[in-house]
mmCIF file of all heavy atoms in Angstrom:
data_model
loop_
_atom_site.group_PDB
_atom_site.id
_atom_site.type_symbol
_atom_site.label_atom_id
_atom_site.label_comp_id
_atom_site.label_asym_id
_atom_site.label_seq_id
_atom_site.Cartn_x
_atom_site.Cartn_y
_atom_site.Cartn_z
ATOM 1 N N ALA A 238 96.830 95.329 96.835
ATOM 2 C CA ALA A 238 97.627 94.758 95.753
ATOM 3 C C ALA A 238 98.249 93.434 96.177
ATOM 4 O O ALA A 238 98.218 92.448 95.431
ATOM 5 C CB ALA A 238 98.719 95.746 95.330
ATOM 6 N N VAL A 239 98.798 93.389 97.381
ATOM 7 C CA VAL A 239 99.416 92.153 97.885
ATOM 8 C C VAL A 239 98.365 91.071 98.076
ATOM 9 O O VAL A 239 98.594 89.888 97.773
ATOM 10 C CB VAL A 239 100.181 92.444 99.192
ATOM 11 C CG1 VAL A 239 100.557 91.151 99.903
ATOM 12 C CG2 VAL A 239 101.417 93.277 98.901
ATOM 13 N N ALA A 242 97.441 89.705 94.697
ATOM 14 C CA ALA A 242 98.589 88.991 94.136
ATOM 15 C C ALA A 242 98.689 87.587 94.725
ATOM 16 O O ALA A 242 98.865 86.598 93.996
ATOM 17 C CB ALA A 242 99.876 89.777 94.418
ATOM 18 N N ILE A 243 98.566 87.484 96.037
ATOM 19 C CA ILE A 243 98.649 86.187 96.683
ATOM 20 C C ILE A 243 97.440 85.327 96.344
ATOM 21 O O ILE A 243 97.546 84.098 96.202
ATOM 22 C CB ILE A 243 98.821 86.366 98.200
ATOM 23 C CG1 ILE A 243 100.204 86.975 98.489
ATOM 24 C CG2 ILE A 243 98.651 85.040 98.947
ATOM 25 C CD1 ILE A 243 100.499 87.209 99.955
ATOM 26 N N LEU A 246 98.276 83.575 93.214
ATOM 27 C CA LEU A 246 99.320 82.561 93.352
ATOM 28 C C LEU A 246 98.836 81.322 94.091
ATOM 29 O O LEU A 246 99.125 80.190 93.686
ATOM 30 C CB LEU A 246 100.531 83.167 94.066
ATOM 31 C CG LEU A 246 101.236 84.297 93.301
ATOM 32 C CD1 LEU A 246 102.283 84.964 94.166
ATOM 33 C CD2 LEU A 246 101.860 83.769 92.015
ATOM 34 N N LEU A 262 106.127 98.154 95.880
ATOM 35 C CA LEU A 262 106.042 96.767 96.344
ATOM 36 C C LEU A 262 107.397 96.062 96.230
ATOM 37 O O LEU A 262 107.462 94.839 96.105
ATOM 38 C CB LEU A 262 104.996 95.995 95.529
ATOM 39 C CG LEU A 262 103.559 96.502 95.576
ATOM 40 C CD1 LEU A 262 102.687 95.689 94.620
ATOM 41 C CD2 LEU A 262 103.005 96.419 96.994
ATOM 42 N N LYS A 263 108.463 96.813 96.282
ATOM 43 C CA LYS A 263 109.780 96.299 95.943
ATOM 44 C C LYS A 263 110.162 95.046 96.714
ATOM 45 O O LYS A 263 110.498 94.013 96.126
ATOM 46 C CB LYS A 263 110.838 97.388 96.162
ATOM 47 C CG LYS A 263 112.234 96.967 95.712
ATOM 48 C CD LYS A 263 113.230 98.113 95.878
ATOM 49 C CE LYS A 263 114.627 97.665 95.443
ATOM 50 N NZ LYS A 263 115.630 98.747 95.598
ATOM 51 N N ILE A 264 110.114 95.073 98.038
ATOM 52 C CA ILE A 264 110.574 93.919 98.810
ATOM 53 C C ILE A 264 109.619 92.734 98.654
ATOM 54 O O ILE A 264 110.043 91.578 98.652
ATOM 55 C CB ILE A 264 110.781 94.277 100.302
ATOM 56 C CG1 ILE A 264 111.521 93.143 101.011
ATOM 57 C CG2 ILE A 264 109.452 94.581 100.980
ATOM 58 C CD1 ILE A 264 112.032 93.507 102.387
ATOM 59 N N PHE A 265 108.329 93.002 98.493
ATOM 60 C CA PHE A 265 107.376 91.925 98.255
ATOM 61 C C PHE A 265 107.676 91.226 96.938
ATOM 62 O O PHE A 265 107.683 89.986 96.859
ATOM 63 C CB PHE A 265 105.952 92.483 98.249
ATOM 64 C CG PHE A 265 104.899 91.474 97.889
ATOM 65 C CD1 PHE A 265 104.575 90.439 98.756
ATOM 66 C CD2 PHE A 265 104.239 91.547 96.663
ATOM 67 C CE1 PHE A 265 103.598 89.506 98.427
ATOM 68 C CE2 PHE A 265 103.264 90.621 96.319
ATOM 69 C CZ PHE A 265 102.949 89.591 97.204
ATOM 70 N N LEU A 266 107.960 91.994 95.904
ATOM 71 C CA LEU A 266 108.271 91.411 94.599
ATOM 72 C C LEU A 266 109.591 90.651 94.641
ATOM 73 O O LEU A 266 109.741 89.609 93.976
ATOM 74 C CB LEU A 266 108.317 92.512 93.540
ATOM 75 C CG LEU A 266 107.000 93.263 93.301
ATOM 76 C CD1 LEU A 266 107.205 94.385 92.287
ATOM 77 C CD2 LEU A 266 105.906 92.311 92.841
ATOM 78 N N GLU A 267 110.545 91.135 95.416
ATOM 79 C CA GLU A 267 111.812 90.411 95.568
ATOM 80 C C GLU A 267 111.573 89.050 96.207
ATOM 81 O O GLU A 267 112.189 88.045 95.817
ATOM 82 C CB GLU A 267 112.782 91.233 96.418
ATOM 83 C CG GLU A 267 113.317 92.475 95.718
ATOM 84 C CD GLU A 267 114.162 93.340 96.642
ATOM 85 O OE1 GLU A 267 114.243 93.012 97.855
ATOM 86 O OE2 GLU A 267 114.736 94.336 96.159
ATOM 87 N N LYS A 268 110.664 89.002 97.180
ATOM 88 C CA LYS A 268 110.341 87.731 97.825
ATOM 89 C C LYS A 268 109.624 86.790 96.866
ATOM 90 O O LYS A 268 109.845 85.570 96.895
ATOM 91 C CB LYS A 268 109.504 87.981 99.081
ATOM 92 C CG LYS A 268 110.291 88.490 100.276
ATOM 93 C CD LYS A 268 111.275 87.426 100.753
ATOM 94 C CE LYS A 268 112.126 87.915 101.887
ATOM 95 N NZ LYS A 268 113.091 86.862 102.352
ATOM 96 N N LEU A 269 108.751 87.330 96.029
ATOM 97 C CA LEU A 269 108.075 86.484 95.048
ATOM 98 C C LEU A 269 109.076 85.860 94.082
ATOM 99 O O LEU A 269 108.972 84.673 93.724
ATOM 100 C CB LEU A 269 107.044 87.301 94.269
ATOM 101 C CG LEU A 269 105.795 87.781 95.020
ATOM 102 C CD1 LEU A 269 104.797 88.382 94.047
ATOM 103 C CD2 LEU A 269 105.150 86.653 95.822
ATOM 104 N N THR A 270 110.057 86.646 93.660
ATOM 105 C CA THR A 270 111.103 86.103 92.787
ATOM 106 C C THR A 270 111.879 84.998 93.493
ATOM 107 O O THR A 270 112.203 83.963 92.902
ATOM 108 C CB THR A 270 112.059 87.223 92.344
ATOM 109 O OG1 THR A 270 111.319 88.221 91.625
ATOM 110 C CG2 THR A 270 113.164 86.686 91.453
ATOM 111 N N PHE A 285 100.295 88.939 88.099
ATOM 112 C CA PHE A 285 100.814 87.908 88.997
ATOM 113 C C PHE A 285 100.287 86.559 88.512
ATOM 114 O O PHE A 285 99.095 86.423 88.229
ATOM 115 C CB PHE A 285 100.366 88.170 90.435
ATOM 116 C CG PHE A 285 100.890 89.456 91.006
ATOM 117 C CD1 PHE A 285 100.154 90.633 90.918
ATOM 118 C CD2 PHE A 285 102.130 89.505 91.627
ATOM 119 C CE1 PHE A 285 100.635 91.825 91.437
ATOM 120 C CE2 PHE A 285 102.625 90.697 92.149
ATOM 121 C CZ PHE A 285 101.879 91.860 92.049
ATOM 122 N N PHE A 304 109.660 94.465 104.956
ATOM 123 C CA PHE A 304 108.468 93.695 104.639
ATOM 124 C C PHE A 304 107.346 94.147 105.574
ATOM 125 O O PHE A 304 107.441 94.013 106.792
ATOM 126 C CB PHE A 304 108.746 92.198 104.824
ATOM 127 C CG PHE A 304 107.730 91.290 104.196
ATOM 128 C CD1 PHE A 304 107.889 90.852 102.899
ATOM 129 C CD2 PHE A 304 106.617 90.870 104.906
ATOM 130 C CE1 PHE A 304 106.955 90.009 102.308
ATOM 131 C CE2 PHE A 304 105.674 90.029 104.339
ATOM 132 C CZ PHE A 304 105.848 89.596 103.031
ATOM 133 N N TRP A 308 101.536 92.466 105.624
ATOM 134 C CA TRP A 308 101.705 91.423 104.601
ATOM 135 C C TRP A 308 102.049 90.059 105.181
ATOM 136 O O TRP A 308 101.999 89.057 104.464
ATOM 137 C CB TRP A 308 102.805 91.829 103.616
ATOM 138 C CG TRP A 308 102.562 93.106 102.898
ATOM 139 C CD1 TRP A 308 101.379 93.794 102.781
ATOM 140 C CD2 TRP A 308 103.534 93.886 102.189
ATOM 141 N NE1 TRP A 308 101.551 94.932 102.056
ATOM 142 C CE2 TRP A 308 102.851 95.030 101.668
ATOM 143 C CE3 TRP A 308 104.893 93.738 101.929
ATOM 144 C CZ2 TRP A 308 103.512 96.015 100.925
ATOM 145 C CZ3 TRP A 308 105.543 94.700 101.182
ATOM 146 C CH2 TRP A 308 104.865 95.829 100.686
ATOM 147 N N TRP A 312 101.139 86.245 103.647
ATOM 148 C CA TRP A 312 102.332 85.464 103.290
ATOM 149 C C TRP A 312 102.275 84.078 103.930
ATOM 150 O O TRP A 312 102.719 83.087 103.326
ATOM 151 C CB TRP A 312 103.588 86.199 103.708
ATOM 152 C CG TRP A 312 104.855 85.565 103.214
ATOM 153 C CD1 TRP A 312 105.690 84.725 103.887
ATOM 154 C CD2 TRP A 312 105.427 85.722 101.906
ATOM 155 N NE1 TRP A 312 106.739 84.340 103.097
ATOM 156 C CE2 TRP A 312 106.611 84.938 101.873
ATOM 157 C CE3 TRP A 312 105.061 86.438 100.771
ATOM 158 C CZ2 TRP A 312 107.428 84.865 100.741
ATOM 159 C CZ3 TRP A 312 105.877 86.358 99.646
ATOM 160 C CH2 TRP A 312 107.038 85.572 99.642
#
Side-chain angles (χ1 to χ4, degrees):
V239 167
I243 292 180
L246 296 172
L262 300 175
K263 185 177 179 180
I264 191 168
F265 175 70
L266 297 177
E267 289 174 355
K268 284 295 177 180
L269 291 189
T270 300
F285 297 92
F304 195 90
W308 301 344
W312 188 262

